[in-house]
Amino acid sequence: MLIFQLLALVGLAAGLFGIYLRYAETKRRALPIDKSPVKGNIPHGIAYAFTTGMMPWAKESTRIHLIAYLRGIGFHIGIFTAIGTVILSPLWGFLPPLLSSTLFWVLIPGALLGAAGGLMRLAEHNLRGLSLPDDHFAVWLTTLFIAVTGLGLVFEAFVVPMYIVSAVTFAYIPLGKIRHCLYFFFSRTFFGKFFGRRAVFPHGTPYREALK
Amino acid sequence: MTETIELALKTLEAQLNQPLETALEACARCGICAEACHYYRAEPKVEHIPAYRAEQLRNVYRYEHDFISRLFPVWTRAKKLDETTLANLTEIAFSQCTLCRRCTVNCPLGVDTPLMMRAIRAMATAAGTAPEILIMLADAAIEKGKDPSFYKEMFLEQIADMEKQLRDITGDENATIPVEKQGAKILYVPLAGAHTILPPAVVFNAAQEDWTLSIFEASNYGVFLADVNRAKQVAKRIVDEANRLGVEEIVISECGHAYACYRWDVPNWFAGQFDFKVRSLIEVLAGYISDGKIKVDPTAIPGSVTYHDSCNLARNGGLLEEPRYVLKSIVRDFREMTPNKAEALCCGGGGGIVALAEYAERRIAAGKPKADQIKSTGARTVVAACENCRLQIGDLNEHYNLNIHVTALTDLVVQAMRLPKPLPGMEAEHLFEGEQVEVPR
Ligand code: SF4
Ligand code: SF4
């Protein structure tokens, strides 16, 4: 078992190192400093970008694609839960049963939602047209990762596969599509800065304030 | 590698900063931005999904920057840039994206697709594949700035004629259109044509504003080319003029891209030489009405009116409430389009596309969602505070038989000022076909 745990650890270290390299590379690039006078409120814009701006009702697109959006959220919750669960795996024996079963009931639906996403990529015309081989691989790999983690919690037989799949998943993060998780934070921050500066988001800068 | 390709790639590299790299990396290809784009709404196909457009640049970027993509290009559809790909990218960026940023607002990750489209435009301009007409228009403006004396005399004659009209309309013998007035508070920068000079002149005179008219136009075709060098040269004429005259602020005519350029870009391009304020004429109108500097009749416009949010003014400029404040002060039956403000649909005329005759058909087709939106308000008058939007909505009006009147915000404000005479072409009885309008004289 130890050897597989070490394997997962090596995968995790490689993934983290790769993500760090990507982060460092992006940070090395120029960051334009905007000197135009601020009309709105930049911190509020950034806060909006990460909170209310992510709500399903905040955007027309997520209102139209509500099911797909919620599926994506459930899937991503599954991924982050699986990462935490694998990291905690040496302590599984000490976890309260309620926590273990909660994790299981987050992971299994997460994996099912991932599989649904994988099938949608194959079946839906637009998604098929947009998807790269990397996208298909990434969604099935992470789905498998969540599934074996959930099953590993309950069935001993899945623990070794869990470590192997975890190692591959962690190592793949910086190499392919999954690295968008890093850029999510950059992207939403730039979004918040841009629209916050210009008093577009958060919505509803009162007219009198807007005149200033 | 040909020189063209080399130039294009060099331009991509030069632009590759944190926001651009983020836009190139962040997309999850979830496809939910599809309906955000008016091109997709008008003709739903994969090629019209914002993310698909962006992917065409990402393919090139990956080939240059991603090690896995270099080893296995098929894994990420990475592609070495060649002449055909560059031509395709150019076509996409200039004819299939109006840089409206509606997709960005609708993307859960906030992917800035127009930033990538701008990067392509810059690559195309550097490589010589950008539309000739945009280059000619930008270069003509730069030339004009080098020697304004060449056309200034004629311009001053036109202004003198306009001044007569102004006095006639306002009934004020002292009404003036000052040009190059040293020390004026406001430098008003119009567009080409009397229709962007006379109505604001009426308002400035009524408000007893200390203003002067710029001898240059606010349009900046360098912006559409994403050519910062050209755009800066065009803008410099006005920055220099404002500095020379010592004005406190520049007020930009009702024009989306010009407002975006002077309000958000120019302070960055001319840091240190630029300490005056920039406002849109819309903000000035709202200020005059709310401060009581101009008197408007709240019942002056009896017909149904709707407002089109220009993407540059609203979603990209934050001018969301000001035009509505103005309209609600003068219009009895104001009807919002749905969606509006930051979620407003692009009319299809942005990004310089109205200047590109070769894409007219595509532009009109992409304007269909806006035409439908206007139709469903049932409004007879559409106010658009941007010249490009007005041109586009005018074309949509003809093509889709909308039976509407398209007007600028200032023109409506002037009408609500109940002056002795109407603006040319704004005679009330002609404005609202079939409706009897009483305008006290
Ligand atoms: S741009 Fe945003 S909404 Fe569109 S496919 Fe990419 S991540 Fe999804
Ligand atoms: S910026 Fe506007 S036109 Fe361009 S892809 Fe996005 S939604 Fe479409």
PDB file of all heavy atoms in Angstrom, chain B residues 404-430:
ATOM      1  N   ILE B 404     -39.358  52.278 -37.444  1.00  0.00           N
ATOM      2  CA  ILE B 404     -38.971  53.060 -36.267  1.00  0.00           C
ATOM      3  C   ILE B 404     -38.222  54.318 -36.701  1.00  0.00           C
ATOM      4  O   ILE B 404     -37.775  54.419 -37.843  1.00  0.00           O
ATOM      5  CB  ILE B 404     -38.034  52.249 -35.323  1.00  0.00           C
ATOM      6  CG1 ILE B 404     -36.880  51.625 -36.129  1.00  0.00           C
ATOM      7  CG2 ILE B 404     -38.808  51.212 -34.541  1.00  0.00           C
ATOM      8  CD1 ILE B 404     -35.731  51.117 -35.315  1.00  0.00           C
ATOM      9  N   HIS B 405     -38.088  55.221 -35.739  1.00  0.00           N
ATOM     10  CA  HIS B 405     -37.262  56.400 -35.961  1.00  0.00           C
ATOM     11  C   HIS B 405     -36.038  56.231 -35.059  1.00  0.00           C
ATOM     12  O   HIS B 405     -36.181  55.961 -33.872  1.00  0.00           O
ATOM     13  CB  HIS B 405     -38.062  57.639 -35.576  1.00  0.00           C
ATOM     14  CG  HIS B 405     -37.260  58.895 -35.618  1.00  0.00           C
ATOM     15  ND1 HIS B 405     -37.009  59.565 -36.797  1.00  0.00           N
ATOM     16  CD2 HIS B 405     -36.650  59.589 -34.646  1.00  0.00           C
ATOM     17  CE1 HIS B 405     -36.262  60.632 -36.528  1.00  0.00           C
ATOM     18  NE2 HIS B 405     -36.033  60.677 -35.233  1.00  0.00           N
ATOM     19  N   VAL B 406     -34.848  56.361 -35.625  1.00  0.00           N
ATOM     20  CA  VAL B 406     -33.625  56.180 -34.843  1.00  0.00           C
ATOM     21  C   VAL B 406     -33.017  57.548 -34.577  1.00  0.00           C
ATOM     22  O   VAL B 406     -32.842  58.347 -35.496  1.00  0.00           O
ATOM     23  CB  VAL B 406     -32.601  55.303 -35.607  1.00  0.00           C
ATOM     24  CG1 VAL B 406     -31.402  54.985 -34.720  1.00  0.00           C
ATOM     25  CG2 VAL B 406     -33.245  54.032 -36.113  1.00  0.00           C
ATOM     26  N   THR B 407     -32.721  57.807 -33.339  1.00  0.00           N
ATOM     27  CA  THR B 407     -32.229  59.142 -33.005  1.00  0.00           C
ATOM     28  C   THR B 407     -31.148  59.116 -31.919  1.00  0.00           C
ATOM     29  O   THR B 407     -31.028  58.147 -31.180  1.00  0.00           O
ATOM     30  CB  THR B 407     -33.409  60.054 -32.551  1.00  0.00           C
ATOM     31  OG1 THR B 407     -32.885  61.342 -32.231  1.00  0.00           O
ATOM     32  CG2 THR B 407     -34.098  59.515 -31.328  1.00  0.00           C
ATOM     33  N   ALA B 408     -30.424  60.212 -31.878  1.00  0.00           N
ATOM     34  CA  ALA B 408     -29.430  60.391 -30.816  1.00  0.00           C
ATOM     35  C   ALA B 408     -30.135  60.925 -29.568  1.00  0.00           C
ATOM     36  O   ALA B 408     -31.208  61.527 -29.669  1.00  0.00           O
ATOM     37  CB  ALA B 408     -28.365  61.368 -31.270  1.00  0.00           C
ATOM     38  N   LEU B 409     -29.503  60.750 -28.427  1.00  0.00           N
ATOM     39  CA  LEU B 409     -30.095  61.213 -27.164  1.00  0.00           C
ATOM     40  C   LEU B 409     -30.171  62.743 -27.136  1.00  0.00           C
ATOM     41  O   LEU B 409     -31.193  63.321 -26.732  1.00  0.00           O
ATOM     42  CB  LEU B 409     -29.224  60.693 -26.011  1.00  0.00           C
ATOM     43  CG  LEU B 409     -29.724  60.892 -24.603  1.00  0.00           C
ATOM     44  CD1 LEU B 409     -31.030  60.140 -24.375  1.00  0.00           C
ATOM     45  CD2 LEU B 409     -28.690  60.406 -23.589  1.00  0.00           C
ATOM     46  N   THR B 410     -29.112  63.397 -27.585  1.00  0.00           N
ATOM     47  CA  THR B 410     -29.065  64.868 -27.526  1.00  0.00           C
ATOM     48  C   THR B 410     -30.193  65.480 -28.358  1.00  0.00           C
ATOM     49  O   THR B 410     -30.799  66.471 -27.958  1.00  0.00           O
ATOM     50  CB  THR B 410     -27.704  65.376 -28.040  1.00  0.00           C
ATOM     51  OG1 THR B 410     -26.680  64.538 -27.532  1.00  0.00           O
ATOM     52  CG2 THR B 410     -27.447  66.798 -27.612  1.00  0.00           C
ATOM     53  N   ASP B 411     -30.472  64.883 -29.499  1.00  0.00           N
ATOM     54  CA  ASP B 411     -31.530  65.427 -30.359  1.00  0.00           C
ATOM     55  C   ASP B 411     -32.873  65.424 -29.638  1.00  0.00           C
ATOM     56  O   ASP B 411     -33.667  66.362 -29.749  1.00  0.00           O
ATOM     57  CB  ASP B 411     -31.646  64.590 -31.647  1.00  0.00           C
ATOM     58  CG  ASP B 411     -30.380  64.656 -32.474  1.00  0.00           C
ATOM     59  OD1 ASP B 411     -29.308  64.870 -31.887  1.00  0.00           O
ATOM     60  OD2 ASP B 411     -30.442  64.481 -33.695  1.00  0.00           O
ATOM     61  N   LEU B 412     -33.101  64.359 -28.875  1.00  0.00           N
ATOM     62  CA  LEU B 412     -34.363  64.262 -28.138  1.00  0.00           C
ATOM     63  C   LEU B 412     -34.403  65.279 -26.996  1.00  0.00           C
ATOM     64  O   LEU B 412     -35.447  65.875 -26.716  1.00  0.00           O
ATOM     65  CB  LEU B 412     -34.503  62.833 -27.582  1.00  0.00           C
ATOM     66  CG  LEU B 412     -35.796  62.100 -27.876  1.00  0.00           C
ATOM     67  CD1 LEU B 412     -36.149  62.128 -29.349  1.00  0.00           C
ATOM     68  CD2 LEU B 412     -35.712  60.660 -27.406  1.00  0.00           C
ATOM     69  N   VAL B 413     -33.252  65.469 -26.360  1.00  0.00           N
ATOM     70  CA  VAL B 413     -33.174  66.462 -25.276  1.00  0.00           C
ATOM     71  C   VAL B 413     -33.472  67.851 -25.847  1.00  0.00           C
ATOM     72  O   VAL B 413     -34.237  68.627 -25.264  1.00  0.00           O
ATOM     73  CB  VAL B 413     -31.783  66.428 -24.591  1.00  0.00           C
ATOM     74  CG1 VAL B 413     -31.594  67.621 -23.663  1.00  0.00           C
ATOM     75  CG2 VAL B 413     -31.609  65.129 -23.824  1.00  0.00           C
ATOM     76  N   VAL B 414     -32.888  68.146 -27.000  1.00  0.00           N
ATOM     77  CA  VAL B 414     -33.128  69.461 -27.616  1.00  0.00           C
ATOM     78  C   VAL B 414     -34.616  69.618 -27.918  1.00  0.00           C
ATOM     79  O   VAL B 414     -35.204  70.664 -27.676  1.00  0.00           O
ATOM     80  CB  VAL B 414     -32.261  69.629 -28.886  1.00  0.00           C
ATOM     81  CG1 VAL B 414     -32.678  70.864 -29.663  1.00  0.00           C
ATOM     82  CG2 VAL B 414     -30.781  69.704 -28.511  1.00  0.00           C
ATOM     83  N   GLN B 415     -35.209  68.539 -28.395  1.00  0.00           N
ATOM     84  CA  GLN B 415     -36.645  68.618 -28.666  1.00  0.00           C
ATOM     85  C   GLN B 415     -37.434  68.913 -27.386  1.00  0.00           C
ATOM     86  O   GLN B 415     -38.397  69.673 -27.402  1.00  0.00           O
ATOM     87  CB  GLN B 415     -37.122  67.322 -29.288  1.00  0.00           C
ATOM     88  CG  GLN B 415     -38.553  67.462 -29.771  1.00  0.00           C
ATOM     89  CD  GLN B 415     -39.011  66.246 -30.529  1.00  0.00           C
ATOM     90  OE1 GLN B 415     -38.204  65.567 -31.165  1.00  0.00           O
ATOM     91  NE2 GLN B 415     -40.293  65.988 -30.470  1.00  0.00           N
ATOM     92  N   ALA B 416     -36.985  68.317 -26.289  1.00  0.00           N
ATOM     93  CA  ALA B 416     -37.680  68.512 -25.013  1.00  0.00           C
ATOM     94  C   ALA B 416     -37.415  69.894 -24.417  1.00  0.00           C
ATOM     95  O   ALA B 416     -38.045  70.274 -23.431  1.00  0.00           O
ATOM     96  CB  ALA B 416     -37.257  67.435 -24.029  1.00  0.00           C
ATOM     97  N   MET B 417     -36.479  70.624 -25.003  1.00  0.00           N
ATOM     98  CA  MET B 417     -36.197  71.963 -24.491  1.00  0.00           C
ATOM     99  C   MET B 417     -37.205  72.989 -25.020  1.00  0.00           C
ATOM    100  O   MET B 417     -37.184  74.152 -24.607  1.00  0.00           O
ATOM    101  CB  MET B 417     -34.760  72.375 -24.862  1.00  0.00           C
ATOM    102  CG  MET B 417     -33.713  71.631 -24.032  1.00  0.00           C
ATOM    103  SD  MET B 417     -32.047  71.771 -24.713  1.00  0.00           S
ATOM    104  CE  MET B 417     -31.705  73.482 -24.407  1.00  0.00           C
ATOM    105  N   ARG B 418     -38.074  72.552 -25.923  1.00  0.00           N
ATOM    106  CA  ARG B 418     -39.146  73.416 -26.441  1.00  0.00           C
ATOM    107  C   ARG B 418     -38.603  74.746 -26.958  1.00  0.00           C
ATOM    108  O   ARG B 418     -38.985  75.814 -26.478  1.00  0.00           O
ATOM    109  CB  ARG B 418     -40.198  73.690 -25.362  1.00  0.00           C
ATOM    110  CG  ARG B 418     -40.816  72.463 -24.746  1.00  0.00           C
ATOM    111  CD  ARG B 418     -41.809  71.870 -25.675  1.00  0.00           C
ATOM    112  NE  ARG B 418     -42.696  70.949 -24.996  1.00  0.00           N
ATOM    113  CZ  ARG B 418     -43.631  70.264 -25.632  1.00  0.00           C
ATOM    114  NH1 ARG B 418     -43.798  70.399 -26.920  1.00  0.00           N
ATOM    115  NH2 ARG B 418     -44.409  69.435 -24.974  1.00  0.00           N
ATOM    116  N   LEU B 419     -37.710  74.644 -27.886  1.00  0.00           N
ATOM    117  CA  LEU B 419     -37.092  75.851 -28.442  1.00  0.00           C
ATOM    118  C   LEU B 419     -37.967  76.431 -29.553  1.00  0.00           C
ATOM    119  O   LEU B 419     -38.855  75.743 -30.063  1.00  0.00           O
ATOM    120  CB  LEU B 419     -35.696  75.492 -28.969  1.00  0.00           C
ATOM    121  CG  LEU B 419     -34.744  75.023 -27.865  1.00  0.00           C
ATOM    122  CD1 LEU B 419     -33.509  74.376 -28.462  1.00  0.00           C
ATOM    123  CD2 LEU B 419     -34.362  76.171 -26.954  1.00  0.00           C
ATOM    124  N   PRO B 420     -37.690  77.667 -29.942  1.00  0.00           N
ATOM    125  CA  PRO B 420     -38.542  78.266 -30.978  1.00  0.00           C
ATOM    126  C   PRO B 420     -38.621  77.423 -32.244  1.00  0.00           C
ATOM    127  O   PRO B 420     -39.666  77.330 -32.869  1.00  0.00           O
ATOM    128  CB  PRO B 420     -37.864  79.602 -31.263  1.00  0.00           C
ATOM    129  CG  PRO B 420     -37.113  79.928 -30.021  1.00  0.00           C
ATOM    130  CD  PRO B 420     -36.710  78.630 -29.418  1.00  0.00           C
ATOM    131  N   LYS B 421     -37.515  76.819 -32.628  1.00  0.00           N
ATOM    132  CA  LYS B 421     -37.549  76.002 -33.853  1.00  0.00           C
ATOM    133  C   LYS B 421     -36.893  74.644 -33.597  1.00  0.00           C
ATOM    134  O   LYS B 421     -35.977  74.550 -32.794  1.00  0.00           O
ATOM    135  CB  LYS B 421     -36.804  76.727 -34.970  1.00  0.00           C
ATOM    136  CG  LYS B 421     -37.605  77.869 -35.556  1.00  0.00           C
ATOM    137  CD  LYS B 421     -37.042  78.319 -36.866  1.00  0.00           C
ATOM    138  CE  LYS B 421     -37.914  79.435 -37.419  1.00  0.00           C
ATOM    139  NZ  LYS B 421     -37.151  80.381 -38.195  1.00  0.00           N
ATOM    140  N   PRO B 422     -37.354  73.634 -34.315  1.00  0.00           N
ATOM    141  CA  PRO B 422     -36.742  72.309 -34.114  1.00  0.00           C
ATOM    142  C   PRO B 422     -35.410  72.176 -34.850  1.00  0.00           C
ATOM    143  O   PRO B 422     -35.099  72.978 -35.731  1.00  0.00           O
ATOM    144  CB  PRO B 422     -37.773  71.354 -34.707  1.00  0.00           C
ATOM    145  CG  PRO B 422     -38.469  72.159 -35.746  1.00  0.00           C
ATOM    146  CD  PRO B 422     -38.449  73.581 -35.287  1.00  0.00           C
ATOM    147  N   LEU B 423     -34.687  71.168 -34.476  1.00  0.00           N
ATOM    148  CA  LEU B 423     -33.448  70.854 -35.200  1.00  0.00           C
ATOM    149  C   LEU B 423     -33.807  70.384 -36.608  1.00  0.00           C
ATOM    150  O   LEU B 423     -34.881  69.828 -36.813  1.00  0.00           O
ATOM    151  CB  LEU B 423     -32.708  69.709 -34.492  1.00  0.00           C
ATOM    152  CG  LEU B 423     -32.037  70.010 -33.171  1.00  0.00           C
ATOM    153  CD1 LEU B 423     -31.646  68.688 -32.498  1.00  0.00           C
ATOM    154  CD2 LEU B 423     -30.795  70.872 -33.378  1.00  0.00           C
ATOM    155  N   PRO B 424     -32.887  70.577 -37.542  1.00  0.00           N
ATOM    156  CA  PRO B 424     -33.186  70.085 -38.897  1.00  0.00           C
ATOM    157  C   PRO B 424     -33.465  68.580 -38.848  1.00  0.00           C
ATOM    158  O   PRO B 424     -32.710  67.822 -38.234  1.00  0.00           O
ATOM    159  CB  PRO B 424     -31.892  70.366 -39.683  1.00  0.00           C
ATOM    160  CG  PRO B 424     -31.070  71.263 -38.840  1.00  0.00           C
ATOM    161  CD  PRO B 424     -31.552  71.185 -37.443  1.00  0.00           C
ATOM    162  N   GLY B 425     -34.567  68.177 -39.449  1.00  0.00           N
ATOM    163  CA  GLY B 425     -34.909  66.752 -39.485  1.00  0.00           C
ATOM    164  C   GLY B 425     -35.594  66.266 -38.233  1.00  0.00           C
ATOM    165  O   GLY B 425     -35.948  65.103 -38.126  1.00  0.00           O
ATOM    166  N   MET B 426     -35.772  67.137 -37.251  1.00  0.00           N
ATOM    167  CA  MET B 426     -36.407  66.692 -36.005  1.00  0.00           C
ATOM    168  C   MET B 426     -37.742  67.393 -35.792  1.00  0.00           C
ATOM    169  O   MET B 426     -38.197  67.541 -34.671  1.00  0.00           O
ATOM    170  CB  MET B 426     -35.485  66.976 -34.814  1.00  0.00           C
ATOM    171  CG  MET B 426     -34.288  66.052 -34.699  1.00  0.00           C
ATOM    172  SD  MET B 426     -34.733  64.358 -34.318  1.00  0.00           S
ATOM    173  CE  MET B 426     -35.121  64.480 -32.582  1.00  0.00           C
ATOM    174  N   GLU B 427     -38.351  67.836 -36.872  1.00  0.00           N
ATOM    175  CA  GLU B 427     -39.648  68.483 -36.753  1.00  0.00           C
ATOM    176  C   GLU B 427     -40.611  67.457 -36.147  1.00  0.00           C
ATOM    177  O   GLU B 427     -40.759  66.360 -36.699  1.00  0.00           O
ATOM    178  CB  GLU B 427     -40.150  68.950 -38.125  1.00  0.00           C
ATOM    179  CG  GLU B 427     -39.322  70.082 -38.741  1.00  0.00           C
ATOM    180  CD  GLU B 427     -38.011  69.598 -39.386  1.00  0.00           C
ATOM    181  OE1 GLU B 427     -37.829  68.362 -39.458  1.00  0.00           O
ATOM    182  OE2 GLU B 427     -37.193  70.437 -39.769  1.00  0.00           O
ATOM    183  N   ALA B 428     -41.189  67.847 -35.046  1.00  0.00           N
ATOM    184  CA  ALA B 428     -41.947  66.873 -34.241  1.00  0.00           C
ATOM    185  C   ALA B 428     -43.014  66.152 -35.053  1.00  0.00           C
ATOM    186  O   ALA B 428     -43.179  64.935 -34.924  1.00  0.00           O
ATOM    187  CB  ALA B 428     -42.580  67.567 -33.053  1.00  0.00           C
ATOM    188  N   GLU B 429     -43.687  66.881 -35.909  1.00  0.00           N
ATOM    189  CA  GLU B 429     -44.771  66.231 -36.652  1.00  0.00           C
ATOM    190  C   GLU B 429     -44.232  65.154 -37.600  1.00  0.00           C
ATOM    191  O   GLU B 429     -44.942  64.248 -37.978  1.00  0.00           O
ATOM    192  CB  GLU B 429     -45.635  67.263 -37.402  1.00  0.00           C
ATOM    193  CG  GLU B 429     -44.879  68.262 -38.213  1.00  0.00           C
ATOM    194  CD  GLU B 429     -44.468  69.484 -37.399  1.00  0.00           C
ATOM    195  OE1 GLU B 429     -44.157  69.368 -36.189  1.00  0.00           O
ATOM    196  OE2 GLU B 429     -44.442  70.556 -37.972  1.00  0.00           O
ATOM    197  N   HIS B 430     -42.959  65.261 -37.929  1.00  0.00           N
ATOM    198  CA  HIS B 430     -42.356  64.223 -38.769  1.00  0.00           C
ATOM    199  C   HIS B 430     -41.789  63.093 -37.927  1.00  0.00           C
ATOM    200  O   HIS B 430     -41.666  61.984 -38.395  1.00  0.00           O
ATOM    201  CB  HIS B 430     -41.232  64.814 -39.634  1.00  0.00           C
ATOM    202  CG  HIS B 430     -41.733  65.797 -40.616  1.00  0.00           C
ATOM    203  ND1 HIS B 430     -40.983  66.845 -41.086  1.00  0.00           N
ATOM    204  CD2 HIS B 430     -42.935  65.896 -41.210  1.00  0.00           C
ATOM    205  CE1 HIS B 430     -41.707  67.546 -41.937  1.00  0.00           C
ATOM    206  NE2 HIS B 430     -42.887  66.988 -42.024  1.00  0.00           N
TER     207      HIS B 430
END
